[in-house]
Amino acid sequence: MSDRRLVIAGTGSGAGKTTLTIGLMAAFKQKGYTVQGFKCGPDYIDPSYHTAVTGRKSRNLDSWMQGRNVLKEVLAYGSKGADISIIEGVMGLYDGKDPASDEGSTADISVITDTPVILVVDCSAMARSAAAIVHGFQTFNRQVNVAGVIANRTGSEGHYKLVKQAIEQECGVPVVGYLNKDDQLTMPERHLGLIPSVERGELNTYFEELGHTVSETVDVNRLYAVAETAPVPEAGPGLFDRKREPVITLAVARDTAFNFYYEENLELLEAYGAELVYFSPVAGEELPEGVHGLYIGGGFPEIFAKELSGQEGVKASVREAIHKGMPVFAECGGYMFLSRSIKTVNGEEYEMAGVIPGTMAMTGRLQALGYREAAGCSGNFLLSSGETVKGHEFHYSAYSPDNPLDTAFRSVGRGGTHLEGVLMKNVVAGYTHLYFPSNPAVPERFINKCAEWKTYG
């Protein structure tokens, strides 16, 4: 028995791996295959593209946040029922958590999962030199199986043939196709605000055309053969085996403003006894009746600040529940929504839920980016003393409190340790996107806290 999967990696950011990944997913779908997408690293944007193209929820693979066993389990679980899984890399093949090791890199994930790598090379303005680039990527870590190459941004079919001859002669790996500069459909600039339009299907025509374009110059059938490999053993801790009857109902804000959720986070909450009820603050849907907790994930409430500000009923329902003691976990965009107001880069200020006293100001520049290992501060019901959970921080806003509040997390990243987030009433809020499978006690404690409130109020 075998599986089929490929890693689509680039020599660096901008090599064209996302274009080729989406194009290949669409091409395989057009051939009638069931395709599963994965993205290396803690990215929310590219998985939204994968999901739109394949019709299956794309998942993140991250060897630092997940560890080897959870990563394997997520891959095996997500791939069930698929004919082929396509794993899109992050940055360059060997770029990861730090420059001194492969940890967290696409290469690391390919080795852990025993997955063949298709290397996307920007071949503009070169011919034989492309072989030197491929040779370097082949030999840098010989555990990595570079099983094929796609030449990107070639000038013509003739140019492609020169590149192909050089690489196959010097490197001994097949060059399975190409995309010419002139043939490429313009890839929309990827940014957080584009996700809602992707989810609404506004780019479906683009995806379909890209699939046809890729099929014309890339040997998709050969790639399907190259993708054959051994199944990934489900060596993880059995994350998806936990089955508990629902003991509480948990409201989850999920719409165009709040949609950054790791699927495993939601699935673990269900596994530990939560019935999830989704609602849309942007659409004016108030906190559902009869719920015992609230999870407000990340997103970009700043883009929808005017709409959210006008939803007085939504804001009032959230405030009232929190004042009654309902347990709440709010991360990044959810943290912003609970504040008194959001101030845009243009200086416009919009009132939010008004639970957390202070303003979230959009700065126009990145305030934080990187992996985090977060420990809970005193009073944080998600984490016991001495425990940590892994996650990722990425935001352009900065919080200015009206008065000092208890801190939620002691967060460790490449830049050192810093305190972040706030605790008040039964609210845990902060900028860090937590990855629950890195410490399954976190979702279990969340559910238990909700059950306690359900019983005792």
Side-chain angles (χ1 to χ4, degrees):
M1 184 178 177
S2 63
D3 282 354
R4 279 186 166 85
R5 58 185 180 273
L6 293 170
V7 167
I8 308 300
T11 52
S13 295
K17 61 182 176 293
T18 299
T19 301
L20 264 303
T21 296
I22 293 169
L24 287 171
M25 287 176 171
F28 281 120
K29 280 277 290 182
Q30 288 162 3
K31 285 182 170 291
Y33 294 120
T34 299
V35 184
Q36 174 63 43
F38 294 92
K39 172 67 181 180
C40 297
D43 183 282
Y44 293 103
I45 301 174
D46 291 339
S48 70
Y49 281 75
H50 302 172
T51 299
V53 174
T54 66
R56 292 168 61 103
K57 292 178 181 177
S58 181
R59 296 175 182 270
N60 298 80
L61 298 176
D62 190 299
S63 57
W64 185 79
M65 284 203 309
Q66 295 169 323
R68 300 173 71 93
N69 287 341
V70 171
L71 187 154
K72 289 180 181 180
E73 184 177 358
V74 170
L75 176 58
Y77 182 79
S79 298
K80 287 180 179 177
D83 297 311
I84 185 169
S85 294
I86 298 182
I87 305 168
E88 180 181 353
V90 57
M91 298 184 289
L93 176 59
Y94 292 103
D95 299 315
K97 185 174 181 290
D98 64 67
S101 78
D102 289 348
E103 185 182 12
S105 70
T106 305
D108 191 26
I109 291 169
S110 76
V111 172
I112 291 170
T113 62
D114 189 26
T115 302
V117 173
I118 303 300
L119 188 65
V120 179
V121 182
D122 182 346
C123 293
S124 56
M126 69 173 72
R128 182 171 168 78
S129 294
I133 292 172
V134 174
H135 186 266
F137 276 81
Q138 278 182 303
T139 57
F140 190 77
N141 181 346
R142 294 189 180 277
Q143 287 185 293
V144 177
N145 175 19
V146 178
V149 172
I150 294 177
N152 197 25
R153 302 190 183 106
T154 50
S156 64
E157 186 178 359
H159 179 199
Y160 161 67
K161 288 180 178 178
L162 295 176
V163 169
K164 178 179 173 70
Q165 181 182 0
I167 293 173
E168 292 186 342
Q169 174 181 294
E170 301 299 333
C171 304
V173 295
V175 182
V176 296
Y178 67 101
L179 279 183
N180 280 333
K181 291 180 195 174
D182 297 339
D183 291 344
Q184 289 191 96
L185 293 162
T186 302
M187 179 79 179
E189 183 180 351
R190 286 171 294 149
H191 56 85
L192 302 183
L194 189 63
I195 293 178
S197 63
V198 174
E199 293 178 339
R200 287 193 298 265
E202 294 173 17
L203 294 183
N204 286 357
T205 299
Y206 165 78
F207 296 147
E208 185 177 352
E209 291 177 358
L210 184 58
H212 290 306
T213 299
V214 166
S215 292
E216 289 175 2
T217 55
V218 175
D219 191 341
V220 177
N221 291 330
R222 187 168 188 182
L223 281 176
Y224 192 74
V226 169
E228 187 170 1
T229 187
V232 173
E234 293 190 51
L239 293 174
F240 304 105
D241 297 334
R242 296 178 173 88
K243 297 296 179 185
R244 183 183 181 189
E245 290 299 315
V247 293
I248 61 105
T249 303
L250 183 68
V252 180
R254 197 168 198 179
D255 57 18
T256 52
F258 307 103
N259 51 33
F260 294 174
Y261 294 96
Y262 295 117
E263 291 301 324
E264 293 79 32
N265 282 15
L266 301 174
E267 289 164 342
L268 276 187
L269 287 167
E270 290 179 317
Y272 279 112
E275 178 186 355
L276 304 184
V277 178
Y278 297 96
F279 74 109
S280 170
V282 166
E285 295 176 3
E286 297 182 8
L287 189 68
E289 292 185 8
V291 298
H292 311 109
L294 171 61
Y295 182 15
I296 316 178
F300 30 90
E302 68 276 10
I303 294 178
F304 299 93
K306 185 176 181 180
E307 291 89 337
L308 288 168
S309 180
Q311 302 296 358
E312 297 296 343
V314 176
K315 295 187 294 182
S317 69
V318 171
R319 276 196 307 271
E320 183 180 354
I322 289 174
H323 289 319
K324 288 180 178 178
M326 177 180 285
V328 176
F329 175 48
E331 52 188 3
C332 205
Y335 180 26
M336 295 171 70
F337 177 65
L338 293 187
S339 72
R340 186 186 67 247
S341 63
I342 292 177
K343 185 179 289 186
T344 69
V345 290
N346 298 324
E348 298 168 326
E349 192 165 355
Y350 295 97
E351 290 186 357
M352 292 292 112
V355 174
I356 298 173
T359 298
M360 296 287 185
M362 301 305 298
T363 65
R365 60 188 178 85
L366 199 59
Q367 295 297 302
L369 170 65
Y371 288 114
R372 300 288 185 263
E373 188 157 17
C377 296
S378 178
N380 186 329
F381 63 76
L382 293 178
L383 286 162
S384 292
S385 176
E387 279 194 338
T388 61
V389 61
K390 292 181 177 180
H392 190 264
E393 191 175 350
F394 178 93
H395 57 94
Y396 286 84
S397 67
Y399 172 54
S400 298
D402 292 341
N403 49 269
L405 295 169
D406 291 337
T407 307
F409 300 106
R410 182 174 289 102
S411 187
V412 180
R414 187 182 295 178
T417 301
H418 71 283
L419 298 175
E420 82 101 355
V422 301
L423 297 175
M424 56 179 301
K425 296 187 181 292
N426 278 332
V427 175
V428 178
Y431 275 120
T432 304
H433 294 269
L434 305 185
Y435 188 70
F436 290 175
S438 68
N439 183 351
V442 170
E444 184 174 24
R445 288 206 183 92
F446 191 9
I447 300 306
N448 290 343
K449 187 69 172 178
C450 294
E452 177 186 310
W453 186 75
K454 173 185 175 181
T455 302
Y456 301 107

